[in-house]
Amino acid sequence: MAITAADVNKLRQQTGAGMMDCKNALVEANGDFEAAIDILRKKGQKVAAKRGENETKEGFVLAQVTGDNSTGIVFALNCETDFVAKNDGYKTLVESLMKVAIDNQPASAEDLLALKYDDKLTVAEKITEQIGVIGEKLEVTGYGILKGGAVVAYNHPGNQLATLVAVNNGTTEAIEAGRQVAMQVAAMNPIALNKDGVDARTIEREIEVGKELAIQEGKPADMAEKIAQGRLAKFFKENTLLSQEFIRDNKLTVEQFLDSTVKGLTVSDFKRTSLS
């Protein structure tokens, strides 16, 4: 049967594939749209298999919250080249995946991939389809979901880094303070909310390093433990969010900034996702 330009354009609108790819798929499928979509998907699977070992160091990171600010999601869709990552169509693809995530609030990247993207494809199948369209390996990485009294999202310019912060107060003033702290998380990359959130292995390593440094500096062995504990306290101050100096006023810690903004305001959790 004759394949019209309108047919090709219709398939292109449905899949995002190139004009020639759509035309060839329709010709091969003898005008059957469902079969043509399957042909394009199989092309994506072939491209995916071929590029399976390729590195995906570029991409687009996005954080977004639900309309009631109760839940936030952050994830990255990685690709191979900066050229693809900066394409408007790629941004649109990420935003469409985020809509599925926000609507369904999956607990993990694996759960997101299993969700229905539309009436015909799962999210995983949609990504496979787009691998065929784009010609690069694509993968969802760094997925995180956060719930709280109010969740704030921050997307760093360039979309290579995004954060979520959950605060215990949903007022406008509290949410704005949360946005400032979300920027702090982006800039300072804390390892935990406070010292209680630092894992025992990290603490043991910092103490051992502190002892060794003290001994190398000529301090008596019986003082090394005390010196190491002092260095550990400094480590907590520099690397846990609530104890860090607030980047917009280093006379305050983040904890003090929050409490001075709204009495009792604090952060219950945070997420940070980046390409590097």
Side-chain angles (χ1 to χ4, degrees):
M1 63 175 291
I3 305 301
T4 68
D7 293 333
V8 173
N9 189 55
K10 179 181 176 182
L11 183 59
R12 186 170 185 269
Q13 292 297 319
Q14 288 181 351
T15 65
M19 296 292 283
M20 287 307 299
D21 286 333
C22 289
K23 181 178 180 180
N24 292 338
L26 282 166
V27 169
E28 185 177 339
N30 198 31
D32 185 323
F33 274 81
E34 296 294 329
I37 289 172
D38 287 343
I39 288 167
L40 290 171
R41 197 182 311 161
K42 288 174 183 177
K43 178 188 174 186
Q45 291 168 345
K46 289 177 182 178
V47 174
K50 182 178 179 181
R51 306 189 75 87
E53 298 302 316
N54 289 28
E55 292 187 339
T56 54
K57 292 185 176 181
E58 301 295 335
F60 195 102
V61 185
L62 184 63
Q64 189 173 314
V65 298
T66 54
D68 62 0
N69 298 314
S70 66
T71 304
I73 289 172
V74 59
F75 74 86
L77 183 68
N78 284 41
C79 58
E80 296 177 32
T81 66
D82 184 55
F83 176 78
V84 165
K86 291 184 176 179
N87 186 280
D88 286 343
Y90 195 76
K91 176 185 177 184
T92 300
L93 173 63
V94 174
E95 290 173 342
S96 71
L97 298 178
M98 177 59 84
K99 184 180 187 308
V100 175
I102 287 291
D103 288 346
N104 294 275
Q105 300 178 23
S108 67
E110 291 74 20
D111 291 338
L112 171 62
L113 292 171
L115 290 172
K116 295 292 290 183
Y117 178 83
D118 56 25
D119 292 339
K120 298 171 184 175
L121 303 176
T122 65
V123 169
E125 289 168 341
K126 180 63 177 180
I127 291 173
T128 297
E129 176 191 90
Q130 291 303 299
I131 289 172
V133 172
I134 295 168
E136 290 192 4
K137 180 181 177 181
L138 310 178
E139 57 183 342
V140 174
T141 61
Y143 180 90
I145 183 168
L146 191 59
K147 295 178 181 289
V151 181
V152 184
Y154 170 68
N155 291 289
H156 192 67
N159 289 99
Q160 295 193 338
L161 167 65
T163 63
L164 296 171
V165 164
V167 293
N168 63 340
N169 187 314
T171 63
T172 300
E173 194 173 17
I175 289 173
E176 174 55 27
R179 190 180 72 83
Q180 298 297 325
V181 176
M183 295 173 68
Q184 170 101 16
V185 172
M188 302 303 293
N189 193 17
I191 64 172
L193 185 62
N194 52 41
K195 67 179 182 180
D196 294 335
V198 181
D199 65 275
R201 190 171 181 179
T202 298
I203 293 172
E204 290 171 7
R205 185 176 66 246
E206 289 301 316
I207 290 173
E208 287 304 312
V209 169
K211 286 180 182 177
E212 184 61 31
L213 286 172
I215 291 169
Q216 289 178 11
E217 291 166 357
K219 302 295 190 295
D222 59 353
M223 291 181 61
E225 176 71 29
K226 184 180 290 187
I227 293 170
Q229 289 294 334
R231 284 179 166 148
L232 179 63
K234 183 180 179 183
F235 173 82
F236 287 146
K237 180 174 176 58
E238 292 175 347
N239 293 280
T240 61
L241 177 60
L242 293 176
S243 297
Q244 285 180 338
E245 292 180 353
F246 181 46
I247 53 176
R248 299 192 69 176
D249 183 354
N250 61 15
K251 294 177 182 176
L252 300 175
T253 65
V254 170
E255 186 172 35
Q256 290 168 339
F257 159 69
L258 290 167
D259 189 63
S260 68
T261 303
V262 177
K263 190 64 178 176
L265 180 63
T266 192
V267 170
S268 58
D269 203 356
F270 68 90
K271 301 285 183 184
R272 183 181 189 274
T273 296
S274 67
L275 292 181
S276 56

